[in-house]
Amino acid sequence: MEIDDNFPAAIRIVTEIQNIVSKDPKLKEFDLVIQPESQNKSPVIYIDHCLGLESWCVRHVYRYVYQRLITIRKRLKRPVSNETITLLTSALLLNPEVTTFWNMRRELVIDEYLKPNEELRFCAVVLKFKPKSAEIFNYRRWILFHVLKDFSSNDVVQNELTVGLTAANDYPSNYNAWNHCFCVIQRSLDHGNFALIAQQWEITKVWCCEHVSDHSCMQYRQRLLKYLVTDKRCIQHLKSCASKLLLRFFNSDERHKLMRPSEDYIGETIGVILDELYFNEDLIAMYQNHESLWNHRRFLCYLLVNIYSTDCIKEVLMNNEKRVCTNFLKGNEMFVKKYVLWLQTKLCISIQLL
Amino acid sequence: MVKLFAMSVLYKGPNEATLLKAAFELQSFGYFQRKSVQEFMSFVTKTIAERTAIAARQSVKEKEYMCHVYVRADNLAGVLISDDEYPPRVAHTLLTKTLDEFTAKVPPYNWSKLNETQVTFNELNVMLAKYQNPKEADAMTKIQQDLDDTKIILHSTIEAVLERGEKLDDLVAKSEGLSMQSKAFYKTAKKTNACCRM
């Protein structure tokens, strides 16, 4: 296909976009502005660190940059010019799903035409437009893990987690965003940043209250919880509330049977799980009929039973879950029934609903 | 998301509803979408208030949004637009409280003659901010108990609330409150089958 000659304004538009992107380090978002027809003025709108492009020209602009870039890519010798960067910026803002374009940017980073830190900023802007795009997160991780490689600075890590959380806010159950956060966490654990798990555990607890049906956030918390209950170095950063919770959950006989004085750490782990179990109950009481909450509860019971594989814990759990299921049967009927069935088949805990 | 987007108080006259006061919280929308989203929420608010009977409550679900309406016997109407995670019961409790407070502040004999510019009721903005967290509503349990006896009519789309022969597309096209840009915004959103995301 030949270059679209019907739209000579394309070059001017993409240059304008590139200028704004490279000159404004505080650029917050990019979005389309619905405008079916040309208003006889530039379709690039730039207010208050937000960049908008009028929708009528998107088709023409994208067609132009796509064709130009593919032509450039097909050449054997690829001299780098500012034009390539300009074209890539517009192409990826409009459609971040094209791996080839990200790869072209990767080459430019390797050859030091583009700065890694500026690339991270650019990605954050693209994420505001397409918060779920896996390609953007892949590229970010590539920059972090293969170019910067430096995880000693807490600022880099915190910035990454903030970007992830923003994307999670902008798109419900955004698995890619949460997964990205978790990758970053794993990397910083390798560098001995154990306090991070506890910090994320507290932050996402507040976040969960505002997004009760977000499956991916719950799953992220489950991954954090696994670290907390298996690694002493992680749990010690958490404010302990174990003793109060153990008193609430077990009666004295049961406590006696389960605990040995030497097992403080076990007490702490159980404490974290119980805290989450009661927190989950509060959410279920407040918000009816959310599958995510009941699934999360399954995970917590599973963890509790598997850490402490005794019959005693099953009995206590059975009584507690019977109380919860009976209390919340009204309004959550389908999920309670599924949950009871699951307890029976997977954990051999049988509950008779009244 | 557990979120309140808009809260309005209207007077439901014999032919149409007049907006008396509205408050919005639209920070979660993109900068360039906010204006159209706000116009749209006002449009939906008015449309649904006009199609709710006197002394009735309705809750309308549209994609990931919920619209709760309460029209009192004295023609004062409250409309609240929230995300579908926000507990409906709390939403209706909140509407009762809002209308009570409005009545205490603005005397009823004026309602039919007033419009938005003449009403001062800044408490509405305060309430919208405060009750973003539904737990704040725990103190209102008394109203909540009264609510248990009232029937709330549920609808699964806006279309279901409209009168026979009415179409949302036509209402949007006819509306004076929506700018050209918002009408285009509606068409695009409808094509991509998403309320406000594109």
Side-chain angles (χ1 to χ4, degrees):
Chain A
M1 241 192 308
E2 271 306 299
I3 301 285
D4 190 355
D5 283 330
N6 303 328
F7 196 65
I11 305 173
R12 215 189 57 234
I13 293 169
V14 294
T15 316
E16 205 176 334
I17 291 176
Q18 176 64 41
N19 278 339
I20 294 167
V21 171
S22 53
K23 278 188 190 134
D24 184 358
K26 284 191 192 144
L27 192 63
K28 280 188 293 199
E29 44 184 274
F30 168 77
D31 205 349
L32 300 185
V33 178
I34 303 299
Q35 189 61 266
E37 272 164 66
S38 168
Q39 306 292 301
N40 264 336
K41 61 180 178 63
S42 168
V44 181
I45 303 158
Y46 176 50
I47 318 163
D48 205 8
H49 300 295
C50 297
L51 173 62
L53 185 65
E54 288 181 358
S55 57
W56 62 268
C57 71
V58 170
R59 215 173 115 221
H60 309 293
V61 171
Y62 188 70
R63 204 176 139 100
Y64 168 76
V65 290
Y66 185 87
Q67 286 170 353
R68 276 297 293 151
L69 282 168
I70 295 299
T71 319
I72 293 173
R73 187 74 178 163
K74 275 185 184 152
R75 287 186 202 140
L76 288 173
K77 239 176 115 193
R78 297 174 195 154
V80 181
S81 65
N82 282 335
E83 191 207 353
T84 319
I85 297 174
T86 305
L87 291 171
L88 280 171
T89 301
S90 292
L92 288 168
L93 276 174
L94 290 170
N95 181 10
E97 300 289 334
V98 187
T99 318
T100 307
F101 295 161
W102 286 114
N103 284 341
M104 289 170 84
R105 263 190 118 91
R106 282 186 174 95
E107 286 168 11
L108 292 170
V109 172
I110 290 171
D111 296 340
E112 295 178 4
Y113 287 101
L114 290 171
K115 295 192 186 92
N117 281 321
E118 280 170 20
E119 284 305 280
L120 287 180
R121 266 208 301 276
F122 172 66
C123 282
V125 176
V126 190
L127 271 177
K128 280 304 277 184
F129 182 50
K130 299 275 178 194
K132 213 190 163 190
S133 170
E135 297 296 338
I136 309 175
F137 286 112
N138 281 342
Y139 183 64
R140 270 195 101 86
R141 280 197 294 273
W142 178 78
I143 299 235
L144 289 167
F145 301 157
H146 294 98
V147 184
L148 292 174
K149 290 182 200 163
D150 182 17
F151 264 75
S152 51
S153 143
N154 199 35
D155 287 354
V156 176
V157 178
Q158 291 301 336
N159 179 47
E160 245 359 78
L161 295 172
T162 312
V163 168
L165 201 65
T166 310
N169 255 323
D170 292 341
Y171 199 102
S173 283
N174 190 345
Y175 175 77
N176 291 331
W178 289 111
N179 194 41
H180 179 74
C181 289
F182 193 71
C183 286
V184 173
I185 297 249
Q186 276 179 316
R187 279 296 165 121
S188 24
L189 281 184
D190 294 344
H191 289 76
N193 195 349
F194 295 107
L196 206 56
I197 300 262
Q199 182 223 20
Q200 283 292 299
W201 181 249
E202 298 292 345
I203 290 179
T204 48
K205 185 170 182 171
V206 179
W207 202 87
C208 261
C209 296
E210 290 159 11
H211 303 78
V212 282
S213 62
D214 199 298
H215 288 272
S216 303
C217 175
M218 303 279 173
Q219 194 243 4
Y220 178 69
R221 277 177 75 74
Q222 291 167 13
R223 285 161 133 188
L224 295 177
L225 188 58
K226 274 192 205 160
Y227 268 107
L228 286 172
V229 299
T230 49
D231 196 332
K232 239 178 177 164
R233 293 169 299 184
C234 294
I235 204 168
Q236 67 184 11
H237 294 279
L238 212 60
K239 217 165 59 189
S240 170
C241 46
S243 49
K244 207 172 68 196
L245 288 160
L246 293 174
L247 279 175
R248 183 173 167 191
F249 198 70
F250 301 107
N251 62 35
S252 61
D253 264 5
E254 292 158 352
R255 267 201 311 281
H256 193 70
K257 247 188 263 179
L258 278 166
M259 301 292 158
R260 270 158 301 215
S262 63
E263 285 178 332
D264 266 3
Y265 172 57
I266 296 282
E268 287 295 319
T269 21
I270 303 257
V272 181
I273 305 174
L274 291 183
D275 186 37
E276 184 70 0
L277 205 64
Y278 283 123
F279 170 60
N280 176 265
E281 188 182 326
D282 289 347
L283 290 181
I284 287 178
M286 190 80 200
Y287 304 98
Q288 287 184 352
N289 250 340
H290 287 291
E291 189 182 29
S292 53
L293 297 175
W294 289 97
N295 285 354
H296 191 56
R297 199 167 182 85
R298 287 187 193 188
F299 174 82
L300 297 172
C301 292
Y302 179 84
L303 204 61
L304 204 57
V305 168
N306 276 281
I307 281 188
Y308 246 133
S309 41
T310 59
D311 286 338
C312 176
I313 189 97
K314 282 195 182 176
E315 212 181 294
V316 185
L317 197 58
M318 185 183 85
N319 290 330
N320 189 58
E321 292 317 288
K322 186 174 178 181
R323 175 184 61 81
V324 170
C325 288
T326 324
N327 280 353
F328 301 120
L329 185 62
K330 198 184 153 216
N332 297 291
E333 206 154 326
M334 184 172 74
F335 296 125
V336 170
K337 282 182 175 158
K338 279 185 181 173
Y339 179 66
V340 169
L341 195 66
W342 180 85
L343 282 174
Q344 168 108 52
T345 47
K346 296 287 180 212
L347 300 182
C348 302
I349 294 174
S350 59
I351 292 174
Q352 295 294 320
L353 284 177
L354 297 173
Chain B
M1 242 192 300
V2 180
K3 193 136 185 67
L4 296 174
F5 296 114
M7 197 145 79
S8 327
V9 179
L10 304 95
Y11 179 77
K12 187 174 151 70
N15 299 316
E16 60 166 9
T18 326
L19 188 67
L20 298 181
K21 188 74 196 172
F24 297 91
E25 165 47 53
L26 303 173
Q27 285 303 312
S28 57
F29 293 95
Y31 181 90
F32 295 103
Q33 295 186 2
R34 271 171 224 157
K35 189 167 155 279
S36 288
V37 169
Q38 178 168 343
E39 282 182 17
F40 237 85
M41 289 195 170
S42 306
F43 165 77
V44 168
T45 296
K46 192 167 176 301
T47 307
I48 293 188
E50 283 166 358
R51 283 155 190 79
T52 305
I54 305 284
R57 286 179 186 275
Q58 293 199 98
S59 286
V60 186
K61 187 172 160 54
E62 181 70 34
K63 306 265 164 42
E64 67 261 40
Y65 301 93
M66 282 294 269
C67 183
H68 307 279
V69 198
Y70 173 37
V71 182
R72 284 201 324 205
D74 60 0
N75 284 23
L76 194 66
V79 181
L80 196 150
I81 299 179
S82 74
D83 192 87
D84 62 355
E85 285 178 9
Y86 198 90
R89 193 150 289 278
V90 178
H92 276 284
T93 314
L94 195 51
L95 283 175
T96 309
K97 190 176 151 68
T98 310
L99 295 189
D100 287 349
E101 288 200 1
F102 186 84
T103 313
K105 197 90 186 183
V106 184
Y109 59 84
N110 261 337
W111 292 347
S112 56
K113 287 166 247 141
L114 285 172
N115 67 37
E116 205 189 346
T117 50
Q118 296 158 318
V119 179
T120 32
F121 182 58
N122 289 328
E123 289 84 344
L124 199 63
N125 292 304
V126 180
M127 287 173 84
L128 187 68
K130 182 176 174 194
Y131 292 102
Q132 290 294 339
N133 179 2
K135 273 208 176 128
E136 291 286 342
D138 278 354
M140 302 191 287
T141 37
K142 166 81 183 64
I143 310 176
Q144 215 153 344
Q145 278 156 5
D146 297 344
L147 203 63
D148 284 334
D149 309 325
T150 335
K151 209 170 149 65
I152 301 171
I153 307 164
L154 284 167
H155 296 282
S156 50
T157 57
I158 294 182
E159 295 271 352
V161 185
L162 302 183
E163 279 145 27
R164 189 190 290 221
E166 279 187 321
K167 280 218 173 69
L168 191 59
D169 291 7
D170 299 342
L171 292 179
V172 170
K174 270 194 303 195
S175 163
E176 286 164 7
L178 295 170
S179 61
M180 283 312 288
Q181 210 195 347
S182 297
K183 287 178 185 176
F185 178 85
Y186 168 78
K187 273 188 205 151
T188 319
K190 204 180 161 191
K191 238 192 291 177
T192 49
N193 198 22
C195 249
C196 288
R197 282 193 186 90
M198 268 169 293

